[in-house]
Every structure is written in C-alpha cells, then in structure tokens.
Amino acid sequence: MQSTLKQLAQQDCDLLIVGGGINGAGIARDAVGRGLRVILCEQHDLAQHTSSASTKLIHGGLRYLEYFEFKLVRKSLQEREVLLRAAPHIMWPLRFVMPHDAGQRPAWVIRAGLFLYDHLAHREFLPASEGVSLRKHVAGVPLKGNYRKGFVYSDGWVDDARLVVLNALDASEHGAKILTRTKCMEVRQQGQGWRATLDSEQYGRIEVSARAIVNAAGPWTAQFANAASGAKNTHGLRLIKGSHIIVPCLFDHPYAYIFQNPDKRIIFAIPYQDDFTLIGTTDLEYTGDPGQVKISDDEVGYLCQMANRYFIKQIAAGDVVWSYSGVRPLLDDSALNASAVTRDYLLECDENNPPFLNVWGGKITTYRKLAEEALAMLLPRLGLHAPEWTSTAPLPGGDLQQAGALVASYDFERFSTEFCTRYSWLPKKIAQRYARCYGSRASRMLGTAQKISDLGEELAPGIYEQEARYLFAVEWARSAEDILWRRTKCGLYCQPQQVARLQEWLMTQQ
Ligand SMILES: Cc1cc2nc3c(=O)[nH]c(=O)nc-3n(C[C@H](O)[C@H](O)[C@H](O)COP(=O)(O)OP(=O)(O)OC[C@H]3O[C@@H](n4cnc5c(N)ncnc54)[C@H](O)[C@@H]3O)c2cc1C
C-alpha cells in the first residue's frame, strides 16, 4: 500500500483523461493501444452516470432521419456491425417491430425511411427491414387489436455499463492506469503541458503531469472545461434527462418494439434480462445536478400510459420493479425542443495552449469512432503517429474464436451452449449469465472451481464469492451497487439484507 501510494503521488503521462464513461474509456483504450502513456480518472465508479443509463441500443437512430441527420445516422449504422463483432457476448442484434395505424406518420414515409436506414451503410449480417401483418406475426400477439400492420427492422443491443468496463479493462491491459473514485480537482498549464491535481478516495492527493488532457466528463464537460482549463469554450451542452422503467415481462418473444406516440416522440419496449420489459425513454430539459437525477412520478405515468396504448396487458406505477434516469450531455445546437437536439458529437481542441480536448455530446454507438477522431486530433499535436487499430480488435471476452475467425454476434448462442455443457455443474441460468457477462473470459473468472461449493458463499442471488472477488480484483468494483447494477443486473433479484451482506463482504476486501 505504501509503495503504491508513493508510486501514485507523482505521475507523468502523455494523456490524462477525465471521465470514466464510454467516451473516456474508449479514448483511453485507443490511445494506449497506439503507444501513449495514459491515465484515466473517474470521480465515481466506471459508467456510474450517463453511460449506464442509456436505452442500450447500438443504433443508427431511425428517428434522426426526420431531422435530416444523415451523416450521423450513416456513421452510427457503420459502427453497428463493427461493435457487434468486437463483443458478441455483451452486444447482439435485435429486431424492432413498429406497429402502424392511421393516426401515425403515413406508411409510405416509414417505408422510405426504412429503405434509407437499410441502405445508408453496408450490412453484412443484420437482416433488412420488412412489412409484416401483426395478425400473423408473433409480435402482434401482445398488442391491442387495432394494430394490424407493422414494420420490422434491425439494430443492436448493448450492455452499456459492461461496454465501458471492457474498454477500461482493455486499456488497463495495454498499460493505462485506470483510477476510479478519483476526481480531477484542478488543471493548470505547466511549460509545454499540464499539471493536474487528482483526489483519490483510496490514495489521497495525486499530482499528474500530462502532455495533453481529454475532458470526457459527460454532463460535467462544460463545468470542468470552465473551471479546470481557463481556456475559452466555443460550445456548450444541453442537459436532457431521460428515464426508463422496468416491469415484469409484457411479452415472451425476442422482438423489441418501437412505438410512435401522438406527441411525435417514440418509446421503446425491449426484452430485458429474461424476466422483464424495459420501457423508455423520456426527453426533458434538466437543470439540476447530473449526479442526482431521478425519475419523477410524471415520467413513470407517461411511460406507463404510452405502453398501455399498445399492449393488451396494462401497467401502472405499482408494476415498476426498477427505474433509472440519466442526463444526455448533448451538444447545444439551439434546437427548440429536447427531442430535436442533435445526438452528434463535436471535439474541440484549443489551438493556442498545450492540447486540451473537450468532448461535446455523443452516443454510445459512436464512441469508438469518436475515440479515433480524438486521437487524429491529438497525435499530430504531440508529434506522434500511430495507425488506427480498434475497428478489428475484440474487446476482452469478445474473442469467441471459431475456425480462426471472430464470430459474429448471432453465433454467440453456440458459445453459450458449449460453455454450459463444459460447466454442467453450474445451474444453467448462472452459466448463461457468466457466458454473457464474461464471454471467453468466463473460464478465467471461474478459475479452478469444479463444483458449486468451490465458488464460496452466495453473497446475493447468483453472486458467489468467486465472481465478486474477480469483479473486485479485475473490474474495479468496490460497492454492492457497482456489482449489482453495473457489472451485473443481479440487483433486480435482490432483497435489502442481501445487498447489505454483499457490501459487508466487500468491506473485508478493501
Ligand atoms: C436516457 C438516455 C438514453 C440513451 N440511449 C442511448 C442509446 O440507446 N444508444 C446510444 O448510442 N446512446 C444513448 N444515449 C447516449 C449515451 O448514453 C451518452 O452519449 C454517453 O453515455 C455519454 O458518455 P460520456 O462518457 O460522455 O458521459 P458519462 O457516461 O456521463 O461519463 C462522464 C464521466 O465523467 C466523470 N467526471 C465528471 N467530472 C469529473 C472529474 N472532475 N473528475 C473525474 N471524473 C469526472 C463522471 O463521474 C462520469 O462518470 C442515451 C443517453 C440517455 C441519457
């Protein structure tokens, strides 16, 4: 501990990244893989804020076509298959059903939109869109009788919080220092670079000298840029709150739904964690503390009402088993309403000082591309050159090799079946979850265990000591919340006394 403390008290690096959401973690991974010395600091847990509160779609954003955001949609669509290949355990293709009736956008407009969506970028394994009769299609069964026709199209699903952790893990395995629960307090210019003061929960004060800074503070980007750098920002953020509710399954097939509503907004209803349906999202201007964002009763009511317009099974606030809210840090483009604000990002690097790069806006879907663009701006300023590498590299656990080739995500089922057979002593549901969470690393997580008692105490439903120890040692998990809501979603099945037991156990590891 003493030597770690000494080592950490003074640090030198090429790049200090502030923020451990998807953008910070993605830039850290890309940069360290190109040979830069990287430190990432995150004031709380990895993905504790916006990057665990998304709708979890790897998508082009069908509705952005209405705002003529063709460039953004194309870029996002191009990323879908790149990402799905990199981590087929935590991302997979999803078919979306859009029920249609006379009160909505005319069918020809939707058909034209879907045609564009299918053709704006190359697709290798995601199927094209099609019209369907909801009287015959399985997705019609849980819907009210007035929805007879619909459209089906493809996008992707991602476990957003795990995507962040896997990027941080890959960065760390390439040599980056990932400091969680470490806030960047101050940054000042020093010679040709920067000097930053970090405050770490574990190690106290750390001084870092960095040749360049990346401000990937999500909803705190403007605040951090103003306070820390003193440099002038030419851009700002619109903070838009979005909330989701989780209810027991409203349907038992693998399709997701996209509903068009009278207020012109769209709502998704997505199969979630086997036993649940995820419904979201809202879009509301937000002026509070991004760290304290919570769903309101009005939002719960709105989401239930929108779902009730479509499903036979009606829901109310009492059915909600969990909810989450996040703040979208959107690039302020002066749009009149929250849904119309651009979802594209902008990277801004001050030309006059040592490099200080601000990340404005973005989506989970475009994080890898954003990281490449950030490096394209930073490398010349640092007098370095190194080629792009992340588009074909698997994320940890994503290298599900078959006959020497990376498998596409629809082959994941084969890997999962083989894993369950190999570990037949594990309850099937738990084995399937391990395959999903850890992919090819699931065996590493299990170590030498050969029977269930080798996994130690079951600290919370489905969480044995073996897994908790791995998450603590390898994935920076420090609290019960980190494990139950971000590294896994086992929190959905937990009672308060089980949360307390897990927390108590974690205290003995620190
Ligand atoms: C409701 C909702 C639905 C969405 N749905 C989708 C979707 O389906 N698909 C999609 O592609 N995108 C979606 N998004 C967008 C996506 O989630 C965000 O663009 C993305 O997560 C932003 O990541 P980030 O890294 O910029 O921010 P964050 O994840 O918020 O990370 C920033 C981090 O910086 C840290 N930080 C701040 N200040 C400091 C400091 N001084 N020192 C150290 N750390 C600091 C914070 O603690 C935070 O963890 C959605 C967003 C929302 C809110």
Side-chain angles (χ1 to χ4, degrees), residues 15 29 46 80 98 219 238 304 323 363 368 417 448 451 464 491:
L15 202 58
R29 174 191 185 223
L46 293 168
R80 284 185 317 192
M98 182 192 290
R238 279 276 282 279
C304 290
S323 66
K363 296 169 64 181
R368 195 198 62 80
T417 306
T448 54
K451 52 187 182 311
Y464 290 87

PDB file of all heavy atoms in Angstrom, residues 15 29 46 80 98 219 238 304 323 363 368 417 448 451 464 491:
ATOM      1  N   LEU A  15      -1.266  11.439 -21.792  1.00  0.00           N
ATOM      2  CA  LEU A  15      -2.675  11.817 -21.861  1.00  0.00           C
ATOM      3  C   LEU A  15      -3.356  11.565 -20.526  1.00  0.00           C
ATOM      4  O   LEU A  15      -3.351  10.432 -20.032  1.00  0.00           O
ATOM      5  CB  LEU A  15      -3.332  10.926 -22.927  1.00  0.00           C
ATOM      6  CG  LEU A  15      -4.617  11.406 -23.575  1.00  0.00           C
ATOM      7  CD1 LEU A  15      -4.391  12.754 -24.230  1.00  0.00           C
ATOM      8  CD2 LEU A  15      -5.066  10.386 -24.631  1.00  0.00           C
ATOM      9  N   ARG A  29      -8.576   3.458 -24.251  1.00  0.00           N
ATOM     10  CA  ARG A  29      -8.219   2.191 -24.914  1.00  0.00           C
ATOM     11  C   ARG A  29      -7.484   2.458 -26.227  1.00  0.00           C
ATOM     12  O   ARG A  29      -6.426   1.890 -26.499  1.00  0.00           O
ATOM     13  CB  ARG A  29      -9.499   1.398 -25.170  1.00  0.00           C
ATOM     14  CG  ARG A  29      -9.267   0.134 -25.980  1.00  0.00           C
ATOM     15  CD  ARG A  29     -10.576  -0.478 -26.426  1.00  0.00           C
ATOM     16  NE  ARG A  29     -10.371  -1.747 -27.098  1.00  0.00           N
ATOM     17  CZ  ARG A  29     -11.004  -2.112 -28.204  1.00  0.00           C
ATOM     18  NH1 ARG A  29     -11.889  -1.299 -28.775  1.00  0.00           N
ATOM     19  NH2 ARG A  29     -10.776  -3.279 -28.752  1.00  0.00           N
ATOM     20  N   LEU A  46     -16.783   3.451 -12.736  1.00  0.00           N
ATOM     21  CA  LEU A  46     -16.858   3.467 -14.195  1.00  0.00           C
ATOM     22  C   LEU A  46     -18.335   3.386 -14.595  1.00  0.00           C
ATOM     23  O   LEU A  46     -19.098   2.606 -13.992  1.00  0.00           O
ATOM     24  CB  LEU A  46     -16.105   2.271 -14.778  1.00  0.00           C
ATOM     25  CG  LEU A  46     -14.582   2.275 -14.575  1.00  0.00           C
ATOM     26  CD1 LEU A  46     -13.999   0.911 -14.925  1.00  0.00           C
ATOM     27  CD2 LEU A  46     -13.914   3.375 -15.396  1.00  0.00           C
ATOM     28  N   ARG A  80     -22.478  -0.157 -36.182  1.00  0.00           N
ATOM     29  CA  ARG A  80     -23.234  -1.266 -35.587  1.00  0.00           C
ATOM     30  C   ARG A  80     -22.518  -2.604 -35.726  1.00  0.00           C
ATOM     31  O   ARG A  80     -22.276  -3.292 -34.731  1.00  0.00           O
ATOM     32  CB  ARG A  80     -24.626  -1.389 -36.241  1.00  0.00           C
ATOM     33  CG  ARG A  80     -25.617  -0.375 -35.814  1.00  0.00           C
ATOM     34  CD  ARG A  80     -26.972  -0.660 -36.411  1.00  0.00           C
ATOM     35  NE  ARG A  80     -26.922  -1.046 -37.825  1.00  0.00           N
ATOM     36  CZ  ARG A  80     -27.966  -1.132 -38.624  1.00  0.00           C
ATOM     37  NH1 ARG A  80     -29.160  -0.861 -38.148  1.00  0.00           N
ATOM     38  NH2 ARG A  80     -27.856  -1.478 -39.889  1.00  0.00           N
ATOM     39  N   MET A  98     -42.382  -2.083 -35.420  1.00  0.00           N
ATOM     40  CA  MET A  98     -43.062  -0.789 -35.328  1.00  0.00           C
ATOM     41  C   MET A  98     -44.522  -0.984 -35.755  1.00  0.00           C
ATOM     42  O   MET A  98     -44.819  -1.080 -36.945  1.00  0.00           O
ATOM     43  CB  MET A  98     -42.380   0.210 -36.267  1.00  0.00           C
ATOM     44  CG  MET A  98     -42.974   1.599 -36.216  1.00  0.00           C
ATOM     45  SD  MET A  98     -42.344   2.605 -37.582  1.00  0.00           S
ATOM     46  CE  MET A  98     -40.670   2.835 -37.116  1.00  0.00           C
ATOM     47  N   PRO A 219     -21.925  14.973 -18.673  1.00  0.00           N
ATOM     48  CA  PRO A 219     -22.746  16.135 -18.325  1.00  0.00           C
ATOM     49  C   PRO A 219     -21.964  17.225 -17.579  1.00  0.00           C
ATOM     50  O   PRO A 219     -22.448  18.328 -17.435  1.00  0.00           O
ATOM     51  CB  PRO A 219     -23.823  15.551 -17.399  1.00  0.00           C
ATOM     52  CG  PRO A 219     -23.739  14.079 -17.528  1.00  0.00           C
ATOM     53  CD  PRO A 219     -22.388  13.737 -18.050  1.00  0.00           C
ATOM     54  N   ARG A 238     -26.561  20.979 -23.814  1.00  0.00           N
ATOM     55  CA  ARG A 238     -27.963  20.953 -23.374  1.00  0.00           C
ATOM     56  C   ARG A 238     -28.080  19.682 -22.554  1.00  0.00           C
ATOM     57  O   ARG A 238     -27.764  18.593 -23.042  1.00  0.00           O
ATOM     58  CB  ARG A 238     -28.909  20.816 -24.569  1.00  0.00           C
ATOM     59  CG  ARG A 238     -29.216  22.073 -25.329  1.00  0.00           C
ATOM     60  CD  ARG A 238     -30.318  22.929 -24.761  1.00  0.00           C
ATOM     61  NE  ARG A 238     -31.696  22.528 -24.987  1.00  0.00           N
ATOM     62  CZ  ARG A 238     -32.390  22.752 -26.095  1.00  0.00           C
ATOM     63  NH1 ARG A 238     -31.828  23.311 -27.138  1.00  0.00           N
ATOM     64  NH2 ARG A 238     -33.678  22.421 -26.163  1.00  0.00           N
ATOM     65  N   CYS A 304     -45.935   4.541 -18.616  1.00  0.00           N
ATOM     66  CA  CYS A 304     -46.994   3.512 -18.481  1.00  0.00           C
ATOM     67  C   CYS A 304     -48.105   3.800 -19.499  1.00  0.00           C
ATOM     68  O   CYS A 304     -48.573   2.896 -20.211  1.00  0.00           O
ATOM     69  CB  CYS A 304     -47.599   3.524 -17.074  1.00  0.00           C
ATOM     70  SG  CYS A 304     -46.485   2.910 -15.811  1.00  0.00           S
ATOM     71  N   SER A 323     -36.245   1.466 -11.905  1.00  0.00           N
ATOM     72  CA  SER A 323     -36.213   2.537 -12.911  1.00  0.00           C
ATOM     73  C   SER A 323     -34.822   3.155 -12.871  1.00  0.00           C
ATOM     74  O   SER A 323     -34.097   2.998 -11.879  1.00  0.00           O
ATOM     75  CB  SER A 323     -37.264   3.597 -12.596  1.00  0.00           C
ATOM     76  OG  SER A 323     -36.914   4.253 -11.394  1.00  0.00           O
ATOM     77  N   LYS A 363     -22.922   9.563 -28.539  1.00  0.00           N
ATOM     78  CA  LYS A 363     -23.804   8.415 -28.284  1.00  0.00           C
ATOM     79  C   LYS A 363     -22.921   7.236 -27.922  1.00  0.00           C
ATOM     80  O   LYS A 363     -21.766   7.196 -28.326  1.00  0.00           O
ATOM     81  CB  LYS A 363     -24.556   8.036 -29.571  1.00  0.00           C
ATOM     82  CG  LYS A 363     -25.502   9.053 -30.109  1.00  0.00           C
ATOM     83  CD  LYS A 363     -25.957   8.639 -31.502  1.00  0.00           C
ATOM     84  CE  LYS A 363     -26.750   7.338 -31.422  1.00  0.00           C
ATOM     85  NZ  LYS A 363     -27.200   6.870 -32.743  1.00  0.00           N
ATOM     86  N   ARG A 368     -16.474   4.575 -30.405  1.00  0.00           N
ATOM     87  CA  ARG A 368     -15.202   4.096 -30.953  1.00  0.00           C
ATOM     88  C   ARG A 368     -14.687   5.038 -32.043  1.00  0.00           C
ATOM     89  O   ARG A 368     -13.518   5.385 -32.104  1.00  0.00           O
ATOM     90  CB  ARG A 368     -15.388   2.679 -31.517  1.00  0.00           C
ATOM     91  CG  ARG A 368     -14.087   1.940 -31.782  1.00  0.00           C
ATOM     92  CD  ARG A 368     -14.311   0.775 -32.724  1.00  0.00           C
ATOM     93  NE  ARG A 368     -14.790   1.251 -34.022  1.00  0.00           N
ATOM     94  CZ  ARG A 368     -14.011   1.756 -34.981  1.00  0.00           C
ATOM     95  NH1 ARG A 368     -12.712   1.834 -34.810  1.00  0.00           N
ATOM     96  NH2 ARG A 368     -14.527   2.195 -36.124  1.00  0.00           N
ATOM     97  N   THR A 417     -23.900 -22.352 -25.391  1.00  0.00           N
ATOM     98  CA  THR A 417     -24.283 -23.762 -25.219  1.00  0.00           C
ATOM     99  C   THR A 417     -23.060 -24.595 -24.846  1.00  0.00           C
ATOM    100  O   THR A 417     -23.103 -25.421 -23.922  1.00  0.00           O
ATOM    101  CB  THR A 417     -24.900 -24.296 -26.536  1.00  0.00           C
ATOM    102  OG1 THR A 417     -25.948 -23.411 -26.897  1.00  0.00           O
ATOM    103  CG2 THR A 417     -25.434 -25.707 -26.385  1.00  0.00           C
ATOM    104  N   THR A 448     -10.151 -22.336 -10.916  1.00  0.00           N
ATOM    105  CA  THR A 448     -10.035 -23.796 -10.835  1.00  0.00           C
ATOM    106  C   THR A 448     -11.303 -24.452 -10.280  1.00  0.00           C
ATOM    107  O   THR A 448     -11.311 -25.649 -10.010  1.00  0.00           O
ATOM    108  CB  THR A 448      -8.851 -24.173  -9.923  1.00  0.00           C
ATOM    109  OG1 THR A 448      -9.054 -23.498  -8.673  1.00  0.00           O
ATOM    110  CG2 THR A 448      -7.522 -23.754 -10.534  1.00  0.00           C
ATOM    111  N   LYS A 451     -16.885 -27.392  -8.703  1.00  0.00           N
ATOM    112  CA  LYS A 451     -18.220 -27.664  -8.181  1.00  0.00           C
ATOM    113  C   LYS A 451     -18.717 -26.386  -7.526  1.00  0.00           C
ATOM    114  O   LYS A 451     -17.926 -25.489  -7.218  1.00  0.00           O
ATOM    115  CB  LYS A 451     -18.222 -28.839  -7.208  1.00  0.00           C
ATOM    116  CG  LYS A 451     -17.208 -28.733  -6.090  1.00  0.00           C
ATOM    117  CD  LYS A 451     -17.175 -30.028  -5.302  1.00  0.00           C
ATOM    118  CE  LYS A 451     -16.212 -29.990  -4.139  1.00  0.00           C
ATOM    119  NZ  LYS A 451     -14.861 -29.504  -4.416  1.00  0.00           N
ATOM    120  N   TYR A 464     -21.726 -15.365  -6.301  1.00  0.00           N
ATOM    121  CA  TYR A 464     -20.866 -16.116  -5.375  1.00  0.00           C
ATOM    122  C   TYR A 464     -19.578 -15.327  -5.152  1.00  0.00           C
ATOM    123  O   TYR A 464     -19.215 -14.461  -5.952  1.00  0.00           O
ATOM    124  CB  TYR A 464     -20.552 -17.495  -5.960  1.00  0.00           C
ATOM    125  CG  TYR A 464     -21.756 -18.399  -5.974  1.00  0.00           C
ATOM    126  CD1 TYR A 464     -22.649 -18.378  -7.041  1.00  0.00           C
ATOM    127  CD2 TYR A 464     -22.022 -19.258  -4.911  1.00  0.00           C
ATOM    128  CE1 TYR A 464     -23.774 -19.193  -7.056  1.00  0.00           C
ATOM    129  CE2 TYR A 464     -23.149 -20.080  -4.916  1.00  0.00           C
ATOM    130  CZ  TYR A 464     -24.020 -20.043  -5.995  1.00  0.00           C
ATOM    131  OH  TYR A 464     -25.127 -20.841  -6.001  1.00  0.00           O
ATOM    132  N   GLY A 491     -29.093  -7.014  -9.175  1.00  0.00           N
ATOM    133  CA  GLY A 491     -29.885  -6.183  -8.264  1.00  0.00           C
ATOM    134  C   GLY A 491     -31.387  -6.370  -8.455  1.00  0.00           C
ATOM    135  O   GLY A 491     -32.170  -6.178  -7.520  1.00  0.00           O
TER     136      GLY A 491
END
